[in-house]
Amino acid sequence: ETPIILDKNTKITEVKVEGELVIYTVVLSGWDYETIDVCRLSKSQMITNLFYVCQNNDTKYLLKNGFSIEYEYISPTKKDLFRNRIIQKDCQPFYDSNFSTLVQRYVDLQRELIPMKLDSETKWINIKRTNSSIELVYEFINYNKDELDVNAVKKFVEENSPAKNCAGPDTKLFLAKGIAVFDTYLDKSGSTVFSFETDTSKC
C-alpha cells in the first residue's frame, strides 16, 4: 500500500520486518532543518506515534504478540533524521480507565519539549490545560503585532489548525472526547495576535 500519505508533510514509503521489529520508513517534509531542533522534533513525533500505535488495532496486535514498532524518519533528500521505537509497555497509560490521566500525561510530555523553535520566525513556548481544552501557545520571534498582517495570520491559522488538529492521532482523540484545542499566536512582546479554537465541528 506504500506510499501511504499521512498528511501533507508525512509519507510512509516502506514497511519492513527485521526479526521482531516492524520498521516504517517515513519521509518528513515541511521543516527547516537548518533551524529546527531535530532532537526535540524527534521527541514530539514520538508522542504522536504513541497515540497512533497504542490506539490502532493493527499495531496494538503486533505489540501484543511480541513485536516492537520503529519509525525511521528521513528528509525528502533521504538524509537520516531520527528513529522512534515503541514497545508494549509504552502503551500502558492508554489503558487507564481515567481519561484525564492520559491528557495530563500528554501535557507533561509536551512540556518537556518547550520552548521549541519551529522555524526562523516561530517558536512554540507553552501548553496549557483546562478540564475542557488544551491550548498550544506560539510566539512570533521577530515581530510585534503592529508589524504583522493580522488578517494573513488569521487566514493561515484558520486554514492550517483544523487540518493539523483533526488529523493528529493525539489531538484527534481529544477532540472526539470533547476537549477543544486552541492554537494561540503571540507577538514577540507577548501580546495575542490571534487564537483559534478547533472542536469537532471544524473537522
Side-chain angles (χ1 to χ4, degrees):
E1 296 180 6
T2 57
I4 302 168
I5 309 299
L6 300 181
D7 57 47
K8 66 179 182 178
N9 295 324
T10 316
K11 177 172 63 176
I12 296 174
T13 57
E14 184 181 9
V15 185
K16 57 192 174 185
V17 181
E18 295 181 358
E20 295 182 339
L21 185 63
V22 179
I23 302 172
Y24 295 85
T25 301
V26 186
V27 176
L28 201 60
S29 60
W31 297 96
D32 181 355
Y33 294 113
E34 298 302 315
T35 59
I36 195 167
D37 186 330
V38 174
C39 180
R40 288 179 185 267
L41 178 60
S42 172
K43 292 179 180 179
S44 176
Q45 196 63 47
M46 180 65 171
I47 298 168
T48 299
N49 291 339
L50 275 173
F51 272 76
Y52 176 79
V53 168
C54 298
Q55 295 181 88
N56 178 272
N57 287 334
D58 293 336
T59 46
K60 283 183 355 186
Y61 178 84
L62 291 171
L63 292 174
K64 182 180 177 182
N65 285 276
F67 287 88
S68 298
I69 308 289
E70 183 167 281
Y71 292 89
E72 58 177 16
Y73 288 89
I74 60 174
S75 72
T77 59
K78 298 187 178 181
K79 176 184 176 182
D80 288 335
L81 297 172
F82 56 87
R83 294 181 176 225
N84 290 160
R85 183 175 296 190
I86 298 170
I87 61 177
Q88 186 176 16
K89 73 175 184 179
D90 293 325
C91 293
Q92 194 56 47
F94 291 82
Y95 309 138
D96 195 304
S97 58
N98 185 356
F99 185 71
S100 179
T101 302
L102 180 59
V103 177
Q104 189 58 50
R105 176 63 175 151
Y106 171 81
V107 171
D108 291 343
L109 287 171
Q110 296 285 20
R111 281 182 177 148
E112 293 178 8
L113 306 175
I114 300 168
M116 180 177 176
K117 192 173 184 180
L118 303 180
D119 54 45
S120 60
E121 304 292 349
T122 319
K123 182 166 58 175
W124 177 30
I125 62 170
N126 202 0
I127 180 169
K128 303 176 183 178
R129 178 200 172 189
T130 70
N131 288 334
S132 59
S133 70
I134 292 172
E135 182 181 19
L136 306 171
V137 183
Y138 307 95
E139 177 186 74
F140 290 114
I141 299 169
N142 300 311
Y143 298 99
N144 283 314
K145 186 175 181 177
D146 58 7
E147 299 173 302
L148 293 164
D149 182 339
V150 175
N151 288 329
V153 172
K154 289 181 178 180
K155 186 174 186 293
F156 173 83
V157 176
E158 288 172 348
E159 290 177 353
N160 287 274
S161 289
K164 168 181 70 76
N165 296 326
C166 297
D170 41 17
T171 45
K172 181 179 179 181
L173 173 63
F174 298 144
L175 293 172
K177 295 286 188 179
I179 297 174
V181 179
F182 287 84
D183 289 280
T184 298
Y185 287 79
L186 311 179
D187 69 5
K188 68 178 186 180
S189 66
S191 298
T192 300
V193 177
F194 184 57
S195 185
F196 181 82
E197 177 186 359
T198 304
D199 58 22
T200 51
S201 71
K202 306 289 189 354
C203 300

